[in-house]
Amino acid sequence: MYALVDCNNFYASCERVFNPSLQHKPIAILSNNDGCVISRSDEAKALELPMGAPIFKWDGFCKTNGITVLSSNYPLYGDMSHRVMTILEQFTPDVEVYSIDEAFLEFKGLDHKNFTEYGNQIRQRVLKWTGIPTSVGIAPTKALSKVANKIARKFPEATKGVYVIDSEEKRIKALKWISIESVWGIGRGFQKKLKAKGCKKAYDFLQLPDNWVRKNFGSTGFKLKKDLEGIPQLELDEHTTKRAIATTRSFDYSYDDLNYIKERISTFATSCAEKLRKQGSSCHMVYVTLQSDRHKKGVEQHRESRIVNLPYPTDSSLIISREAVRVATQIFKKNIKYKRAGVIVMGLVPTDNHQLQMFDAEDPKHKPLMSTIDKLNQKYADYKIKLGSQDLERTWKMRQERLSPRYTTNINEIIVVK
């Protein structure tokens, strides 16, 4: 059996854990730089605040309707997510973290378990230990566990937040209830073709011939169909090494200052290098991109990307940052206000197993230096050790005018009990 554990209104729930006055109040969470609404509590949804609403247009609506609007507090959300996932690992070693607020669990050797009771144990422990409410869907396959989770979330009073599809009758009833566009794995292109065939519910999809599904949607669509039929096809994803690592950000404002751009690029490159070392990889290429604000009309636009090939694979922040900054300087154009930049490292190879060069090689001092920097930053957090080309005060420069404290990751912002 599989379970899909989903944290309800995760960002809003994280805020409520440390600010109980927000319980049962409408909450909206904004994107980077306080741009658009990316998360809403159920109360905000009921007031019909749209997802993706630009806050500068909807700020008056939020104030009139008493909606608390907050900046994204990713250090808090990331830490709370880690706590939830750690708790889930106590129920089974087979956990696939699907996103920051949901995870798939596989239960092996528990065929005679009372899964409704087990799901309630999961919910209660997560709620008691973190304060985060969850919905749990349990079924014989991953796709069906997603359907079960939607039922648990949609009907909290009847299900108490847990729904188990453990019979053929429940499976068919669930598939006749859920609309085709709500089925996990069915995108817009997929939906369009299915609706043309008269499929309105997930159950209608299962009535289509296997050959037609395989021909039109390939093996992925065929596996999804079988999964919904209760025949397991989709297994938990194992951790895989990334083929490329990217760090891209929008700036808080538009900038035409080369020194500012160089500092941002250096920070992005350093972040990529840290991720490389974390997964034990080195890169052969560094890709740098700069973009002006395409939404601003009547001003000169510029968007350019460039790749630099390195003479040898490396995971050194010093080398990757130096090359990225050099490329950014070449791309940069005067009098252009840039709004977004990014660094991507590509051509990844295992650090402990790659082709050595006869004449070009990395400075042997870099490896122990990077290792020491990583250990210090991990120990003290908040990136205390940085390159001289980085801003020593801040890593990510974002407009966050409505930011709540980082209660669990910064000792200076820890909650005060009176």
Side-chain angles (χ1 to χ4, degrees):
M1 295 286 278
Y2 292 84
L4 190 278
V5 180
D6 185 18
C7 300
N8 301 342
N9 300 321
F10 181 60
Y11 291 175
S13 294
C14 288
E15 301 287 354
R16 285 169 169 163
V17 169
F18 300 95
N19 187 354
S21 67
L22 294 176
Q23 291 288 350
H24 310 299
K25 302 286 181 63
I27 303 172
I29 308 297
L30 301 178
S31 61
N32 289 342
N33 300 314
D34 291 348
C36 302
V37 173
I38 59 169
S39 180
R40 304 159 297 164
S41 66
D42 288 340
E43 296 81 3
K45 294 174 185 175
L47 292 170
E48 299 185 354
L49 174 67
M51 191 70 155
I55 195 59
F56 75 93
K57 290 184 178 180
W58 288 81
D59 203 20
F61 175 87
C62 292
K63 290 176 180 176
T64 301
N65 289 278
I67 301 174
T68 299
V69 181
L70 297 168
S71 302
S72 298
N73 191 340
Y74 291 121
L76 175 65
Y77 307 154
D79 183 65
M80 294 300 288
S81 173
H82 176 70
R83 295 179 186 215
V84 171
M85 301 309 167
T86 301
I87 293 170
L88 297 182
E89 290 172 356
Q90 297 176 359
F91 292 89
T92 174
D94 301 305
V95 177
E96 176 195 334
V97 180
Y98 187 65
S99 67
I100 193 171
D101 62 347
E102 58 183 331
F104 284 105
L105 284 65
E106 184 176 6
F107 304 120
K108 297 177 180 177
L110 300 178
D111 296 340
H112 303 291
K113 195 81 173 176
N114 183 328
F115 285 107
T116 300
E117 182 181 316
Y118 207 47
N120 279 315
Q121 289 179 24
I122 293 172
R123 286 193 77 246
Q124 290 166 10
R125 188 174 302 179
V126 172
L127 183 62
K128 185 176 181 179
W129 291 11
T130 68
I132 302 294
T134 57
S135 297
V136 181
I138 302 176
T141 69
K142 283 179 72 175
L144 285 173
S145 72
K146 266 280 194 179
V147 176
N149 184 276
K150 287 184 180 295
I151 294 172
R153 184 79 172 89
K154 181 70 174 178
F155 306 103
E157 293 184 3
T159 64
K160 306 301 181 186
V162 178
Y163 190 73
V164 181
I165 296 177
D166 53 5
S167 68
E168 187 67 5
E169 181 183 1
K170 282 186 174 181
R171 184 184 72 85
I172 293 174
K173 185 178 180 181
L175 295 176
K176 286 183 176 180
W177 169 77
I178 193 166
S179 61
I180 196 68
E181 56 265 23
S182 297
V183 176
W184 176 57
I186 295 185
R188 291 182 181 178
F190 207 158
Q191 292 172 27
K192 193 173 181 179
K193 287 185 178 181
L194 290 176
K195 287 182 177 180
K197 293 285 289 185
C199 295
K200 296 181 180 179
K201 302 290 183 178
Y203 184 77
D204 301 329
F205 171 50
L206 301 192
Q207 308 314 303
L208 298 174
D210 287 350
N211 291 338
W212 186 90
V213 173
R214 191 190 292 274
K215 180 180 178 181
N216 286 271
F217 304 117
S219 61
T220 301
F222 178 75
K223 287 181 178 179
L224 175 60
K225 181 175 184 289
K226 291 300 172 186
D227 227 55
L228 291 171
E229 289 174 354
I231 304 169
Q233 297 289 317
L234 306 173
E235 299 178 351
L236 295 190
D237 289 341
E238 297 181 358
H239 175 75
T240 56
T241 300
K242 294 180 179 179
R243 297 180 182 179
I245 292 174
T247 301
T248 61
R249 293 285 190 281
S250 294
F251 305 145
D252 48 355
Y253 299 100
S254 298
Y255 292 91
D256 57 3
D257 180 2
L258 176 58
N259 289 326
Y260 178 90
I261 300 296
K262 287 164 67 175
E263 188 279 326
R264 291 289 79 202
I265 290 293
S266 177
T267 295
F268 297 169
T270 301
S271 174
C272 287
E274 289 170 352
K275 294 173 184 176
L276 279 174
R277 295 192 293 273
K278 191 172 183 179
Q279 77 167 27
S281 298
S282 294
C283 69
H284 275 288
M285 295 174 285
V286 179
Y287 174 97
V288 179
T289 179
L290 290 179
Q291 300 175 29
S292 57
D293 190 346
R294 59 187 177 85
H295 297 293
K296 287 192 174 181
K297 307 301 180 182
V299 298
E300 186 180 355
Q301 299 288 332
H302 180 229
R303 175 176 181 173
E304 188 172 345
S305 305
R306 198 170 295 180
I307 294 178
V308 57
N309 292 298
L310 304 176
Y312 46 81
T314 183
D315 62 5
S316 169
S317 296
L318 295 170
I319 296 172
I320 295 172
S321 174
R322 181 191 68 201
E323 293 302 312
V325 169
R326 183 176 63 82
V327 173
T329 305
Q330 294 172 353
I331 294 175
F332 180 84
K333 289 177 67 175
K334 288 184 179 180
N335 301 321
I336 297 290
K337 288 186 177 291
Y338 291 98
K339 181 63 177 175
R340 187 175 181 83
V343 175
I344 305 175
V345 290
M346 302 183 293
L348 307 192
V349 295
T351 298
D352 58 359
N353 182 22
H354 59 75
Q355 183 68 44
L356 299 176
Q357 304 294 322
M358 183 174 292
F359 301 108
D360 293 313
E362 184 176 275
D363 188 330
K365 295 179 181 178
H366 284 207
K367 284 282 189 286
L369 175 61
M370 293 300 111
S371 177
T372 301
I373 289 174
D374 290 341
K375 288 177 181 177
L376 288 171
N377 281 335
Q378 184 176 10
K379 181 176 181 180
Y380 296 106
D382 247 3
Y383 295 95
K384 296 297 184 185
I385 310 298
K386 297 184 178 182
L387 302 185
S389 55
Q390 294 180 257
D391 186 329
L392 301 181
E393 298 298 322
R394 213 161 29 142
T395 300
W396 307 122
K397 296 182 177 181
M398 293 185 289
R399 186 165 67 246
Q400 296 178 304
E401 297 170 353
R402 312 169 196 240
L403 187 65
S404 59
R406 295 164 291 178
Y407 299 102
T408 65
T409 61
N410 190 314
I411 193 66
N412 297 315
E413 299 177 16
I414 195 168
I415 195 168
V416 176
V417 179
K418 298 180 181 180

